[in-house]
Amino acid sequence: MNRTSAPVDAPATGAWEGLVTTALLGTDRRTPSGAGPGPEAPVALLDAAAVETVRRRAGLRPARAAERPQPAPEDPRPPLPPAAARRLALLLADRPGASGGGRRGIAPDLTELLPQWLAAANARGFAPPPQTLPALLDAARGRTDLRPSALEFAGPRALWLARLNPDWRFALRSTPGGGAALPHLEDDDSVRQLWQEGLFAERVALLSALRSRDPAAARDLLATTWSTERAEDRLMFLDSLRTGLGPDDEPFLEQALADRSRNVRATAAELLSALPGSALAARMAVRAEACVAIDHTRTARAAGATEASGATVATPTIAVEAPHECDPDMERDGVVAKAPAGRGERSWWFGQLVEAAPLGTWSRRLGGRTPREIVALPVTDDWQGELHAAWCRAAVRQRDAEWSRALLGEPSAPEAGGPGAVSLAERAKLLGTLDAAERAEWVAGFIATHGLSEAFQLLGVCAVPWAPPLGRAVVDALNIARDAGSYPWSFSGVMGLAERCLDPSEAGRLDALLAVPDEPENASPGAGGYWAEAFQRLVTTLRLRAAMTEELNTS
């Protein structure tokens, strides 16, 4: 269709931006070049845009012929079984939020099953079908939590593709050394050359690989350039010593306590305090012991004594005298002198001393008592919370299961977690020091007593699939909440965890929960239907997970 309009001048350099600005402002406020105001101005704007579009497309000069890319590297791993390959395509085709919000219905959330599928495929050493790699990299681009397992599964071809498509450059950053091959660790000359001349990411990858194989060699390599490294690089390199940390690292870490960077000093002190036999740990023990002692002068009424008899007994009590100053030696050993806003200086210094002292200090200092007996002792002057919180941090840092058990207490305790665990986050960290079976048993007992309202963070530290006692405890608690007419949406997070973490063999036990229950008078409107949908989705997801495993096991 031809239009007649006022003549339009040929757009000059930068005209496209001017046309866009005119379109955004409107032709009433700004008219196109060569056109006057009025009803013809919008037509003139469109004509000018059409001309400029053609000019932009036709005005490109042909570029030099690019060098053809090298062929993609071979992937020596065995291919996926056909059924598993089809399943992967389905998982990658699903997109978060595709349902448009609202109630999820009974359909499984495939995006949440992809990490589990990738872990299983990687454990079996399969290679992906080449045609799925673009979708796999797109999925990893949108989810940082997916990147390690996705890139491991994608294999060497992921790096090849990442060099061709800027959208996938994250793969080069996420892979140690950007995909550069590390030298054979036995080749001392090549290792030394890469350490001296390599990019930072390559050096981090080299140090980490060498540390996992030969901790002493990695430490010696780091020492050769330590004094010339940038502070932020020294911090990253020092963090690599967590792998294989042992007494032989102490001299190097002691030197790092004098580093000019406060963050480096703090990290060195933390690593030394994780070595109970280190000189720093001994110094911290002396300082902490000076602050904590048993007070035998406290008295309390004897059990069973009447008010008339007035019988009293001495009650051993922990007395605390926090430090009155933070001297230079304490600062050198990693104690931060400046307290956070709202925190008292003395309690701040005291907590750091106790946290860094070896936990074995306290049995000797406090009359040979066990950790459980020590934690049960009363503490004077409201210092109990500070002292127990510091012991919690020490138990996590030193990976001491006995102290963790004492601080957690019984899962059925009225305080819902024990005297030393002042928050769910601390309880979760303490549970992390226990083995998987004991961890699951403790959380199952917690849920049986306290329900699911506070259990979400604790469930996150339990091994997947959940052990049978834990799985039963979660399902029983959900069933109790349903029968009580509880607000169902408040349990959606736990239900989502159950879909990913329950053992698929539990699906058959859930069939009785699929019917819509009778709703109590005080139940949330529509709660029964929601619970039925949620349990149906749970069962469907568990059976889907079982099918995924079977497909990967099919040769």
Side-chain angles (χ1 to χ4, degrees):
M1 177 178 178
N2 295 326
R3 290 194 182 103
T4 59
S5 61
V8 180
D9 293 340
T13 303
W16 181 259
E17 289 74 13
L19 293 172
V20 171
T21 302
T22 300
L24 291 173
L25 293 174
T27 54
D28 290 340
R29 299 176 61 187
R30 176 173 173 173
T31 57
S33 176
E40 294 298 325
V43 177
L45 175 63
L46 293 175
D47 285 344
V51 170
E52 176 65 5
T53 299
V54 173
R55 188 191 70 82
R56 283 157 57 94
R57 290 176 178 174
L60 292 177
R61 293 182 178 179
R64 289 178 176 271
E67 183 180 348
R68 288 190 177 186
Q70 294 295 319
E74 292 295 327
D75 193 331
R77 297 173 296 176
L80 277 174
R86 290 192 293 271
R87 180 70 65 190
L88 173 61
L90 290 174
L91 294 176
L92 292 172
D94 198 54
R95 289 290 180 268
S99 62
R103 287 168 68 154
R104 286 176 50 197
I106 64 174
D109 188 346
L110 300 185
T111 60
E112 291 302 320
L113 296 182
L114 183 56
Q116 197 169 106
W117 188 96
L118 288 170
N122 285 332
R124 291 160 175 79
F126 286 123
Q131 67 271 20
T132 64
L133 286 174
L136 182 62
L137 290 172
D138 281 341
R141 181 181 61 169
R143 290 181 57 176
T144 56
D145 64 305
L146 203 62
R147 289 181 184 178
S149 57
L151 293 177
E152 179 185 352
F153 181 61
R157 292 176 174 175
L159 300 175
W160 181 83
L161 286 169
R163 294 188 181 98
L164 300 175
N165 186 343
D167 289 343
W168 301 328
R169 288 299 174 91
F170 70 87
L172 302 178
R173 297 190 298 270
S174 302
T175 304
L182 296 177
H184 290 292
L185 299 181
E186 297 82 2
D187 186 348
D188 294 338
D189 291 339
S190 297
V191 166
R192 194 176 302 108
Q193 181 180 3
L194 181 60
W195 180 251
Q196 295 285 349
E197 303 174 4
L199 300 174
F200 176 70
E202 294 171 335
R203 300 177 74 211
V204 170
L206 175 64
L207 189 65
S208 299
L210 190 58
R211 182 69 180 179
S212 63
R213 177 181 175 274
D214 188 343
R219 184 185 61 249
D220 293 344
L221 182 66
L222 177 57
T224 62
T225 60
W226 178 258
S227 61
T228 61
E229 303 286 356
R230 298 185 306 166
E232 54 267 35
D233 294 350
R234 292 198 304 276
L235 184 62
M236 288 289 292
F237 292 144
L238 191 63
D239 199 61
S240 70
L241 298 188
R242 296 181 190 276
T243 301
L245 182 67
D248 291 342
D249 297 316
E250 183 178 357
F252 181 85
L253 293 172
E254 275 285 342
Q255 291 181 356
L257 290 176
D259 195 271
R260 56 188 180 274
S261 166
R262 185 181 68 180
N263 290 334
V264 172
R265 295 195 302 270
T267 300
E270 179 192 347
L271 293 173
L272 283 168
S273 67
L275 297 172
S278 68
L280 179 138
R283 295 193 296 270
M284 288 298 198
V286 170
R287 294 172 180 131
E289 284 180 327
C291 300
V292 178
I294 288 288
D295 182 355
H296 292 284
T297 65
R298 303 274 173 164
T299 59
R301 189 180 304 279
T306 63
E307 186 174 349
S309 66
T312 58
V313 294
T315 303
T317 303
I318 296 178
V320 171
E321 180 66 28
H324 291 271
E325 65 172 345
C326 181
D327 58 45
D329 288 339
M330 288 169 60
E331 288 196 66
R332 180 183 181 276
D333 284 345
V335 177
V336 179
K338 184 177 176 60
R343 183 80 179 273
E345 283 188 333
R346 295 182 65 198
S347 66
W348 172 245
W349 300 332
F350 172 72
Q352 293 179 80
L353 296 181
V354 174
E355 176 182 356
L359 288 164
T361 300
W362 303 111
S363 180
R364 179 181 67 254
R365 177 64 171 164
L366 303 177
R369 292 175 171 85
T370 66
R372 195 174 294 274
E373 291 169 339
I374 291 172
V375 170
L377 292 174
V379 184
T380 61
D381 301 327
D382 297 325
W383 280 102
Q384 177 168 308
E386 188 68 52
L387 178 60
H388 286 190
W391 278 337
C392 282
R393 297 192 297 272
V396 173
R397 180 181 296 185
Q398 299 171 35
R399 311 299 298 173
D400 193 307
E402 185 179 7
W403 268 91
S404 293
R405 294 187 194 101
L407 292 162
L408 280 166
E410 296 299 323
S412 57
E415 58 268 31
V422 296
S423 70
L424 285 172
E426 282 187 312
R427 292 173 201 155
K429 291 177 182 177
L430 290 170
L431 285 168
T433 68
L434 309 180
D435 64 50
E438 185 176 2
R439 201 182 314 159
E441 183 179 358
W442 196 95
V443 177
F446 180 93
I447 291 171
T449 303
H450 306 289
L452 292 168
S453 60
E454 292 189 342
F456 186 83
Q457 198 163 1
L458 304 180
L459 287 168
V461 302
C462 294
V464 178
W466 288 336
L470 178 58
R472 287 194 294 270
V474 171
V475 173
D476 290 345
L478 288 170
N479 192 23
I480 290 171
R482 181 189 71 158
D483 291 344
S486 298
Y487 192 67
W489 294 273
S490 61
F491 294 94
S492 59
V494 174
M495 188 66 79
L497 268 182
E499 291 172 18
R500 301 189 296 275
C501 302
L502 264 179
D503 193 310
S505 63
E506 296 285 322
R509 210 170 61 83
L510 299 174
D511 286 338
L513 303 177
L514 303 183
V516 178
D518 296 330
E519 296 184 4
E521 292 182 2
N522 59 344
S524 302
Y530 173 90
W531 282 111
E533 284 183 1
F535 280 117
Q536 178 66 67
R537 184 173 62 249
L538 175 58
V539 171
T540 304
T541 303
L542 293 180
R543 289 178 174 151
L544 175 57
R545 286 173 51 207
M548 286 165 40
T549 302
E550 184 178 353
E551 291 163 357
L552 286 166
N553 290 336
T554 302
S555 57

